[in-house]
Amino acid sequence: MGGRRGTRAGAVVTACVWTLAVALGAAVLPAARPTGPAARIPAAAPAAALRAPATSTAPEASLRPSTADGPAVRRIKERGRLIAGVDQNSYRWGYRDPATGELSGFDIDLVHAIAKAVLGDPGKVVFLAIPTNQRIPALEKGKVDIIARTMTINCDRARQVAFSTAYFEAGQQVLAPKASPVTAFDDTLEGKKVCTAKGSTGESELKNESHGASVLTVPNQLDCLVRLQLGQVDAVITDSALAAGQAAQDPSVRLVGKPFTTESYGVAMNLKDEDLVRRVNAVLEDYRRGGEASPWMLAYRKWLAADLQGITAPPEPRYRD
């Protein structure tokens, strides 16, 4: 992930065309250590009744920022807490600091910034640990207000949930032991066993082209690192940003090859919560502002620069209205 601004050079911009959202009915797994009284969010309207934009648009294009209160923002203010679905197992992004027991990381800092903007206090957050494959159901079932969990924006997901503008750019990449003959996402995977998270972009890519590998899916990406350490799989396919954190945790593994996709992370929300999408985008505008001294760059240097070098600015926002 060398120095860049916005999308990766030569990347293909994908356009999404859709008419109706599709509902998922999976249940949400138990939450980990809420930080406050998690009042239940009113159930979302049936997703099939919510019409997505009729025109073609790049999936990263979101609604323009606004600080006006609508139903979703009022709901959060009346409750007095923002309920955020996050990861607690992704080093540098969302993980429990062993020294404090507190959730820490790049995504966690962003959630605190959203809470401060909406509620005036960065600590007014209930964090729920949500597995990769439960992110969309958690929003559809009204378990959380937002998901901030290294969630890639793509067309399929944009039919089911609403996304903020992109707050980080990554790509799928291969993680393998340092002595492994696997050198990239190519035919060196033939006959190997590869792990990825269920419901992740990595799973979709492997369904399209496995390069002769057998695939194991698990609930969370960290489960893949454990299986790699135990010798149960030969390689892991995951976001380069997450893989860099895993390599930082375990010096016996390394990233190999180059990222073979270009992906943008967004904060996900329920399709009906348009006012919340606009408010989060207003937060992101402020988060990016200030050049080297911006909150985004401060968070990048604090959490990510040691493992993901050369990034000089956050992704540029794109809007569709």
Side-chain angles (χ1 to χ4, degrees):
M1 296 181 66
R4 61 180 183 275
R5 186 180 182 91
T7 56
R8 198 181 304 274
V12 176
V13 177
T14 303
C16 299
V17 182
W18 62 80
T19 54
L20 295 180
V22 179
L24 295 183
V28 176
L29 298 185
R33 298 175 60 182
T35 60
R40 184 174 181 81
I41 302 170
L50 300 167
R51 185 171 296 277
T55 57
S56 298
T57 181
E60 296 85 4
S62 186
L63 300 175
R64 290 196 177 274
S66 172
T67 58
D69 289 1
V73 173
R74 288 196 295 269
R75 177 187 75 216
I76 295 166
K77 288 185 173 181
E78 289 168 4
R79 187 194 309 123
R81 290 287 187 276
L82 173 72
I83 302 181
V86 297
D87 198 354
Q88 63 174 359
N89 296 313
S90 291
Y91 188 50
R92 312 284 199 196
W93 289 92
Y95 72 104
R96 290 206 177 273
D97 187 326
T100 65
E102 298 296 322
L103 282 167
S104 302
F106 190 89
D107 282 342
I108 305 304
D109 282 2
L110 178 55
V111 171
H112 284 305
I114 294 169
K116 182 178 181 180
V118 175
L119 296 165
D121 184 342
K124 289 186 174 181
V125 182
V126 175
F127 287 109
L128 302 185
I130 304 294
T132 302
N133 65 345
Q134 294 299 310
R135 294 175 297 190
I136 289 173
L139 289 166
E140 291 184 329
K141 297 294 184 180
K143 301 291 186 181
V144 296
D145 298 305
I146 64 173
I147 293 284
R149 195 186 181 287
T150 58
M151 189 168 179
T152 299
I153 304 167
N154 62 35
C155 293
D156 286 342
R157 291 171 179 169
R159 294 184 181 96
Q160 301 168 81
V161 297
F163 282 102
S164 71
T165 54
Y167 68 86
F168 200 84
E169 190 177 90
Q172 293 295 301
Q173 198 165 357
V174 180
L175 186 74
K178 288 184 174 178
S180 172
V182 174
T183 58
F185 187 68
D186 58 19
D187 290 346
T188 60
L189 291 170
E190 186 173 2
K192 303 294 190 293
K193 193 167 189 178
V194 176
C195 184
T196 196
K198 187 172 181 61
S200 68
T201 311
E203 182 184 24
S204 299
E205 291 295 326
L206 284 163
K207 284 180 179 178
N208 291 333
E209 176 56 80
S210 69
H211 290 289
S214 60
V215 180
L216 171 70
T217 59
V218 295
N220 288 298
Q221 289 292 356
L222 190 63
D223 299 331
C224 283
L225 178 61
V226 172
R227 282 162 174 74
L228 190 64
Q229 292 167 331
L230 294 174
Q232 296 174 356
V233 298
D234 301 296
V236 174
I237 304 295
T238 187
D239 293 3
S240 55
L242 295 177
Q246 292 176 4
Q249 288 177 284
D250 184 351
S252 71
V253 301
R254 64 188 176 100
L255 288 162
V256 297
K258 295 180 179 180
F260 55 90
T261 64
T262 301
E263 300 168 23
S264 298
Y265 295 162
V267 179
M269 289 151 277
N270 192 285
L271 278 173
K272 70 183 179 65
D273 290 344
E274 288 192 3
D275 63 303
L276 183 57
V277 176
R278 294 185 188 277
R279 177 61 66 89
V280 170
N281 282 339
V283 175
L284 286 170
E285 285 286 330
D286 290 337
Y287 210 64
R288 298 183 189 99
R289 189 175 291 120
E292 285 295 310
S294 69
W296 193 97
M297 287 302 298
L298 294 175
Y300 163 71
R301 287 195 292 270
K302 178 180 179 180
W303 298 112
L304 307 177
D307 306 313
L308 293 167
Q309 300 177 7
I311 297 175
T312 59
E316 294 284 357
R318 301 179 67 183
Y319 299 109
R320 66 172 186 260
D321 64 347

